[in-house]
Amino acid sequence: QKEVEQDPGPLSVPEGAIVSLNCTYSNSAFQYFMWYRQYSRKGPELLMYTYSSGNKEDGRFTAQVDKSSKYISLFIRDSQPSDSATYLCAMIYNQGGKLIFGQGTELSVKP
Amino acid sequence: DAGVIQSPRHEVTEMGQEVTLRCKPISGHNSLFWYRQTMMRGLELLIYFNNNVPIDDSGMPEDRFSAKMPNASFSTLKIQPSEPRDSAVYFCASTDRNYGYTFGSGTRLTVV
């Protein structure tokens, strides 16, 4: 079993839709959680960084962490074609430690 | 801030040749990571350094792979001899431990 599980998709939604992306993890020792966006032929770009359970909002993006269920989510409101990319969840046990990634979910937002 | 800089961007080499990938982390970042990305396996950590010291190299696939960090501003990942199954995108990332990890643009390696 992988440490971090993420549905690879692909996921296709119409412009303006709310997108929900999710990951589950097996080890409760993970403390810090991140979401990265990766455009084709580019490096991963940090979107959200959270520590505790709860919600964190940044513009159209909301990250949610539920440590009791070992479940994290990323919500994208009013999705745009420019949001089309692969979204990767990632987590670490401690700051500066190794970052463990999910498989990534490929998202396509259709105009 | 120029971000994490990797070179070359693309590398095509013949099987059996030595390949050297280079990375310059963000100034002030004291942790550096090398990842490999393939369609089948996603992003895999190969090795990481804290304060120029290798901490965990358990992801290095074989003895053909080696990595060095001679100073805080430079790291190399070497494959010798290279094989077709090494074809992948190799990413370098760095962090100052206070925030997320910043990735470079990657080196796309093709071994023929």
Side-chain angles (χ1 to χ4, degrees):
Chain A
Q1 181 188 7
K2 291 184 179 180
E3 286 189 276
V4 181
E5 298 277 359
Q6 182 177 10
D7 186 341
L11 179 63
S12 181
V13 301
E15 183 176 354
I18 296 174
V19 177
S20 173
L21 304 166
N22 311 294
C23 287
T24 59
Y25 59 96
S26 57
N27 195 330
S28 58
F30 282 122
Q31 297 292 326
Y32 301 85
F33 305 89
M34 303 172 214
W35 284 95
Y36 281 82
R37 177 175 61 195
Q38 186 176 22
Y39 291 113
S40 180
R41 295 184 173 267
K42 301 288 187 183
E45 169 196 12
L46 181 65
L47 275 179
M48 303 288 281
Y49 179 89
T50 56
Y51 170 63
S52 58
S53 285
N55 294 353
K56 181 177 181 179
E57 190 173 318
D58 184 359
R60 297 184 295 110
F61 297 89
T62 299
Q64 192 172 79
V65 174
D66 183 347
K67 287 187 175 180
S68 62
S69 300
K70 300 191 189 71
Y71 189 87
I72 67 172
S73 300
L74 178 71
F75 299 96
I76 307 174
R77 291 182 300 280
D78 187 25
S79 56
Q80 302 295 308
S82 58
D83 295 328
S84 298
T86 296
Y87 290 80
L88 299 129
C89 64
M91 48 199 78
I92 53 176
Y93 298 112
N94 53 278
Q95 288 179 318
K98 55 185 180 181
L99 189 60
I100 308 298
F101 281 92
Q103 184 70 11
T105 299
E106 185 181 347
L107 171 68
S108 176
V109 181
K110 303 295 186 184
Chain B
D1 187 353
V4 175
I5 300 173
Q6 291 186 246
S7 64
R9 289 297 307 276
H10 303 274
E11 177 81 32
V12 180
T13 191
E14 291 185 346
M15 183 175 62
Q17 296 297 307
E18 177 180 295
V19 175
T20 300
L21 311 181
R22 298 173 176 80
C23 176
K24 177 179 169 52
I26 292 174
S27 177
H29 282 194
N30 51 12
S31 296
L32 182 140
F33 303 77
W34 281 100
Y35 283 85
R36 178 171 67 177
Q37 187 174 39
T38 60
M39 288 292 292
M40 289 297 294
R41 300 173 69 90
L43 271 162
E44 300 175 286
L45 177 67
L46 299 176
I47 186 172
Y48 78 98
F49 298 82
N50 281 346
N51 298 315
N52 313 337
V53 176
I55 302 301
D56 185 346
D57 66 354
S58 60
M60 297 286 262
E62 299 170 32
D63 291 344
R64 299 183 297 106
F65 285 70
S66 62
K68 293 182 180 179
M69 192 164 185
N71 57 62
S73 59
F74 184 66
S75 177
T76 59
L77 177 68
K78 186 176 293 186
I79 308 173
Q80 166 64 19
S82 57
E83 296 183 3
R85 60 191 166 126
D86 302 331
S87 297
V89 182
Y90 291 81
F91 287 104
C92 176
S94 69
T95 182
D96 63 359
R97 303 195 184 195
N98 292 318
Y99 197 57
Y101 296 46
T102 303
F103 282 74
S105 298
T107 295
R108 184 172 297 272
L109 173 65
T110 302
V111 183
V112 297

